[in-house]
Amino acid sequence: MHGEYKVPGGKLVVVDVDVEGGVLRHVRVAGDFFLEPDEALDAMNRALEGAPADTDAAGLAARIDAALPPGTVMYGLTLEGVGVAVRRALAHATDWTDYDWQLIHEAPQPPALHMALDEVLTAEVAAGRRPPTLRVWEWGGPAVIIGSFQSLRNEVDPEGAARHGIEVVRRISGGGAMFVEPGNTITYSLSVPEALVQGLSFQDSYAYLDDWVLGALGDMGIRAWYQPLNDIATDQGKIAGAAQKRIVGEGGGPGAVLHHVTMSYDIDADKMVEVLRIGREKLSDKGTKSAKKRVDPLRRQTGLPREAVIDRMIESFRGRYGLTPGKITGEELARAEELVHTKFSSPEWTARVP
């Protein structure tokens, strides 16, 4: 069995392993990391040899840690990363390059339709009728998008939303509220087969699915990192937040993962705190008087037009994994529009957690 895992912000770890009698055998760790002394690699392999095959990543890391020579130095490598690579090998996880990725980047859509498209396209990936898809959103109007489990009254100031003409919709993924305005936000979704994140913990899957965008930001001169559980941050502030939803396959078969990210290209911070109650709470909790100190827009950090930032992100993804232009099919759009009427525009759904 063969497993690969790129340590977030680090290097690739590769593990080849067999399982005999319920334990790991013939373990071989490799990769483009840096490790001193040379004997440390043999120590890793010996530590993993004979480990029960159901040992989790943390348990595998602990075995390695106990076996490493004193003074071992690792660069681009973590013990947990080795453990994850083993778990991905045992789970027969796939890799990004195993797929033919499709790009969807279409005209602006209403906020509720974006919510529906996320659900429909990810279900299509789970059913095997659609390839893994990167969808870049264009917003048809300003909106507040609340997480699946958030309280509507606790998150949104209805008077502020009405005063600024802000539509309020609820998404299918968890996480916090998003304040978006056309031209000021960059949002994308990944709809991927569950096999791509096999062997990863829920937390690790966030960083794994967004490692490519950290590279894209780095190419634009921004040193960014993943801040668990679901933020992308720089030394000048948070620039993005992510959310996920697992969708079960048809008939209980292999499923898919929806992973979407909203990035602040520019932001009207004063308007945001008039619309989001959580904005006020976060500011008071952090002792911060200005929202601009918590969310730092990409416009200022890159000096690039929004369209140029998006183009560079797409090209970075294409350079890593390949990417073919695609489109939403007529059937997918029809199903999404039906969901808009029956679910995402309904007061019952929006206020399902009052």
Side-chain angles (χ1 to χ4, degrees), residues 2-6 11-16 27-33 41 45 77 81-82 85-86 89:
H2 179 86
E4 297 186 0
Y5 177 62
K6 185 179 182 300
K11 300 294 185 177
L12 181 69
V13 183
V14 180
V15 172
D16 292 284
V27 183
R28 297 173 299 283
V29 178
D32 57 2
F33 48 80
L41 185 61
N45 292 331
L77 174 68
V82 178
V86 173

Side-chain angles (χ1 to χ4, degrees), residues 194-264:
E194 189 177 34
L196 184 62
V197 296
Q198 287 289 348
L200 298 177
S201 68
F202 188 76
Q203 176 174 322
D204 288 340
S205 71
Y206 274 83
Y208 182 71
L209 291 176
D210 276 331
D211 186 66
W212 70 274
V213 84
L214 300 185
L217 291 169
D219 291 341
M220 289 181 265
I222 299 177
R223 189 180 72 86
W225 60 87
Y226 223 90
Q227 189 165 293
L229 171 66
N230 62 334
D231 289 344
I232 297 176
T234 72
D235 55 8
Q236 299 186 50
K238 172 183 172 179
I239 58 173
Q244 287 187 5
K245 174 68 176 179
R246 263 64 172 173
I247 291 183
V248 178
E250 294 180 354
V257 177
L258 167 66
H259 178 95
H260 47 197
V261 173
T262 291
M263 312 179 77
S264 295

Side-chain angles (χ1 to χ4, degrees), residues 66-81:
L68 287 176
T72 295
V73 177
M74 296 180 291
Y75 181 75
L77 174 68
T78 65
L79 301 183
E80 293 77 11

Side-chain angles (χ1 to χ4, degrees), residues 20-288:
E20 298 175 359
V23 300
L24 307 186
R25 294 298 183 197
H26 314 123
V27 183
R28 297 173 299 283
V29 178
D32 57 2
F33 48 80
F34 298 89
L35 179 65
E36 294 288 350
D38 286 348
E39 303 82 65
L41 185 61
D42 291 334
M44 282 187 184
N45 292 331
R46 288 195 301 270
L48 294 171
E49 191 75 19
D54 60 357
T55 307
D56 63 15
L60 295 171
R63 289 177 67 103
I64 299 170
D65 188 40
L68 287 176
T72 295
V73 177
M74 296 180 291
Y75 181 75
L77 174 68
T78 65
L79 301 183
E80 293 77 11
V82 178
V84 170
V86 173
R87 296 308 317 165
R88 285 177 60 76
L90 299 176
H92 301 283
T94 56
D95 187 64
W96 295 85
T97 54
D98 293 330
Y99 300 104
D100 294 323
W101 290 88
Q102 185 173 110
L103 170 68
I104 293 177
H105 188 192
E106 298 191 343
Q109 306 279 14
L113 183 57
H114 278 306
M115 305 303 108
L117 285 170
D118 261 359
E119 182 170 330
V120 168
L121 297 182
T122 308
E124 289 296 284
V125 171
R129 291 186 292 265
R130 160 170 285 282
T133 300
L134 167 65
R135 183 169 73 92
V136 179
W137 304 20
E138 295 294 345
W139 292 93
V144 166
I145 317 300
I146 60 175
S148 180
F149 310 107
Q150 287 188 298
S151 162
L152 177 61
R153 69 166 65 101
N154 287 347
E155 301 301 325
V156 182
D157 183 327
E159 293 181 357
R163 183 166 61 252
H164 293 292
I166 305 293
E167 181 178 357
V168 180
V169 294
R170 185 184 294 274
R171 63 181 186 266
I172 61 173
S173 61
M178 302 153 42
F179 173 76
V180 302
E181 294 182 289
N184 284 357
T185 305
I186 297 173
T187 304
Y188 65 86
S189 300
L190 286 169
S191 296
V192 307
E194 189 177 34
L196 184 62
V197 296
Q198 287 289 348
L200 298 177
S201 68
F202 188 76
Q203 176 174 322
D204 288 340
S205 71
Y206 274 83
Y208 182 71
L209 291 176
D210 276 331
D211 186 66
W212 70 274
V213 84
L214 300 185
L217 291 169
D219 291 341
M220 289 181 265
I222 299 177
R223 189 180 72 86
W225 60 87
Y226 223 90
Q227 189 165 293
L229 171 66
N230 62 334
D231 289 344
I232 297 176
T234 72
D235 55 8
Q236 299 186 50
K238 172 183 172 179
I239 58 173
Q244 287 187 5
K245 174 68 176 179
R246 263 64 172 173
I247 291 183
V248 178
E250 294 180 354
V257 177
L258 167 66
H259 178 95
H260 47 197
V261 173
T262 291
M263 312 179 77
S264 295
Y265 173 74
D266 205 348
I267 193 167
D268 187 332
D270 294 331
K271 186 186 296 185
M272 180 181 73
V273 296
E274 288 181 24
V275 175
L276 293 182
R277 297 189 194 278
I278 192 68
R280 300 180 191 136
E281 290 299 317
K282 283 186 176 179
L283 294 179
S284 63
D285 181 58
K286 300 296 182 181
T288 303

